[in-house]
Amino acid sequence: MNKTKADFLKRFGKIRDLPSLPSIVTKVNQMLNDPNTTNASLSRVIEKDQAIVFKMLQLVNSAFFGLREKISTTNEAAIILGFDAIRNIVLSLSTFNILNHLFEQNSNKHFKIDSFWRHSIGVAVLSRYLAEQTMLGDSEKCFVCGLLHDMGKLMLAHYFPDEFIRVIEHARQNDLIYLDAENKILPACHPEVGYFIIKKWGIPSHLANTIYSHHAIQPDSAFLEESIIVNTANGIINSYYADFLNNNTSPENIKYAYFNSHARKRLNVWIETAPKWFPEVKPLIHDAWAFFL
């Protein structure tokens, strides 16, 4: 990492009101690293946050999960879905609440929080779908990474609005996608900012690394498959809906600038045939929008 980039990221470390994860997420992460953790003990911890329990049960009983039997307790959810899935659900719901709250009082007119979440939720749902269909990566991890992949943009817009506005203006003036403009203007891009924050939160490294590399895919990495899935989902969602900047989009026409070459090589058939299969994913995305938003 060059000094300019390191200095830029250190600015985030000096922010006094940088949000922190709720204690429940930290505790769940700790418990899942303990081989003595049981379904019952994990459930007791989660049940201390009834708001999370309510939303979690709503989510697992929705059409999105497609379970045949209704789950009525956190213990049942842990048994049926497994520890990792429960951790990812708790993390997704908690992080969504934190980031949403962060932007409640933000007046940056260039950043539309609703559009941001519609894009992120769309990428999350499609990442899960692609992982299941292609057997690449872990579908629940892909969902979390899809949901959080752009959190660096939110952090930039909130804490460094002047730099964020410069990126947007450069993109629009030069007909660039956001990432290309970011590379021109900033010493560190949104995946690196997101990674920096997530590491401070102590989120598992495989999630942090996937978010870091969702544009700059590292072919020899242990998280290659998840990175390919999230990159592909991001490109397709940007192609089928206006991106969160409403910039450079022709709805339902694939724009190849959004895709990393490794994703194109591995999942090109899915990218090229998206008009045939994407309509069946749309209802899942809309259901997720209704749930989260």
Side-chain angles (χ1 to χ4, degrees):
M1 182 184 297
N2 63 51
K3 187 176 186 301
T4 304
K5 181 181 295 186
D7 290 343
F8 181 75
L9 293 174
K10 283 180 181 177
R11 292 168 64 187
F12 285 92
K14 296 177 181 178
I15 296 171
R16 293 186 176 182
D17 65 340
L18 197 67
S20 57
L21 284 177
S23 59
I24 184 175
V25 179
T26 304
K27 182 61 176 176
V28 168
N29 277 330
Q30 290 172 347
M31 293 184 74
L32 294 189
N33 290 325
D34 181 354
N36 296 316
T37 296
T38 64
N39 290 327
S41 63
L42 180 64
S43 298
R44 283 195 296 271
V45 168
I46 296 174
E47 285 166 0
K48 292 178 181 178
D49 189 328
Q50 284 299 305
I52 285 291
V53 171
F54 177 74
K55 293 296 287 184
M56 181 178 74
L57 292 178
Q58 267 193 320
L59 181 61
V60 300
N61 286 309
S62 69
F64 178 66
F65 268 82
L67 299 177
R68 293 181 179 180
E69 296 183 6
K70 184 176 180 179
I71 293 177
S72 56
T73 67
T74 54
N75 191 50
E76 288 178 14
I79 292 170
I80 294 173
L81 299 176
F83 283 178
D84 278 347
I86 295 302
R87 190 237 320 265
N88 292 336
I89 290 170
V90 171
L91 176 59
S92 297
L93 294 173
S94 299
T95 310
F96 177 84
N97 290 338
I98 289 169
L99 297 180
N100 228 19
H101 180 71
L102 181 68
F103 238 77
E104 283 179 352
Q105 298 178 329
N106 190 283
S107 60
N108 189 333
K109 65 180 181 180
H110 292 274
F111 190 95
K112 307 298 183 185
I113 190 66
D114 183 69
S115 297
F116 170 83
W117 281 124
R118 285 181 180 276
H119 170 77
S120 297
I121 293 166
V123 174
V125 172
L126 184 53
S127 292
R128 185 175 187 264
Y129 175 87
L130 287 173
E132 290 176 342
Q133 296 297 315
T134 63
M135 305 296 287
L136 289 178
D138 179 282
S139 61
E140 302 308 330
K141 291 176 184 175
C142 287
F143 179 88
V144 179
C145 292
L147 186 68
L148 303 182
H149 76 287
D150 270 352
M151 65 172 288
K153 291 179 181 176
L154 189 151
M155 293 295 180
L156 284 167
H158 182 71
Y159 290 109
F160 299 106
D162 292 342
E163 286 93 334
F164 183 77
I165 291 169
R166 285 173 57 211
V167 172
I168 293 174
E169 290 176 344
H170 188 75
R172 290 176 174 160
Q173 291 168 4
N174 295 277
D175 193 28
L176 298 173
I177 63 173
Y178 177 87
L179 180 67
D180 290 345
E182 208 175 42
N183 277 316
K184 296 281 187 181
I185 299 297
L186 300 179
C189 296
H190 69 275
E192 295 163 306
V193 173
Y195 175 83
F196 181 85
I197 302 299
I198 283 173
K199 290 295 286 183
K200 285 181 69 68
W201 283 351
I203 288 177
S205 59
H206 61 268
L207 298 178
N209 288 329
T210 300
I211 291 166
Y212 176 83
S213 64
H214 75 271
H215 284 299
I217 294 175
Q218 302 170 37
D220 298 323
S221 69
F223 38 89
L224 171 64
E225 293 184 346
E226 283 84 3
S227 299
I228 286 174
I229 289 291
V230 174
N231 180 267
T232 302
N234 179 66
I236 291 173
I237 292 297
N238 274 335
S239 297
Y240 271 77
Y241 301 98
D243 65 13
F244 92 103
L245 296 177
N246 198 28
N247 189 42
N248 294 306
T249 54
S250 301
E252 303 197 14
N253 289 312
I254 295 295
K255 188 174 182 65
Y256 293 102
Y258 288 122
F259 299 91
N260 180 275
S261 60
H262 295 287
R264 288 284 308 277
K265 183 178 180 180
R266 192 77 174 267
L267 290 182
N268 193 56
V269 65
W270 284 88
I271 296 169
E272 296 292 348
T273 60
K276 295 181 179 179
W277 58 262
F278 189 74
E280 70 182 70
V281 185
K282 277 188 174 182
L284 298 177
I285 293 173
H286 294 175
D287 287 345
W289 284 347
F291 174 81
F292 279 98
L293 303 177

